[in-house]
Amino acid sequence: MAFELISHVGLTEQLQVIDIAFDDELFSRYGVTIPVVKSEQSEINWPFDLSQLKQWLTANGITYHS
């Protein structure tokens, strides 16, 4: 679902998918809040909807297509 939202705003090419299953630090940090979208030091954790994603992108100066 989160990938579909990212796709909807046209940012799949800028997306880097990281599997946290084998990284104890990331797994303990994010656990059940994955997927996480991160830019610089700002994050939006699941669950989020399209409106929340767009608001986060705008607040972080990330240009997207609606």
Side-chain angles (χ1 to χ4, degrees):
M1 180 68 173
F3 186 82
E4 291 172 14
L5 296 175
I6 296 293
S7 181
H8 184 79
V9 295
L11 294 176
T12 54
E13 291 191 20
Q14 292 86 349
L15 182 68
Q16 178 185 9
V17 176
I18 300 172
D19 185 350
I20 68 166
F22 302 105
D23 186 319
D24 292 337
E25 180 183 341
L26 291 177
F27 190 81
S28 75
R29 179 174 179 185
Y30 296 114
V32 296
T33 65
I34 57 173
V36 176
V37 178
K38 181 175 181 177
S39 176
E40 303 292 329
Q41 298 301 318
S42 181
E43 301 175 346
I44 183 171
N45 299 68
W46 190 257
F48 52 84
D49 60 24
L50 184 58
S51 176
Q52 292 167 317
L53 176 61
K54 287 181 176 182
Q55 186 176 23
W56 181 84
L57 292 168
T58 299
N60 286 280
I62 300 170
T63 303
Y64 64 91
H65 307 285
S66 311

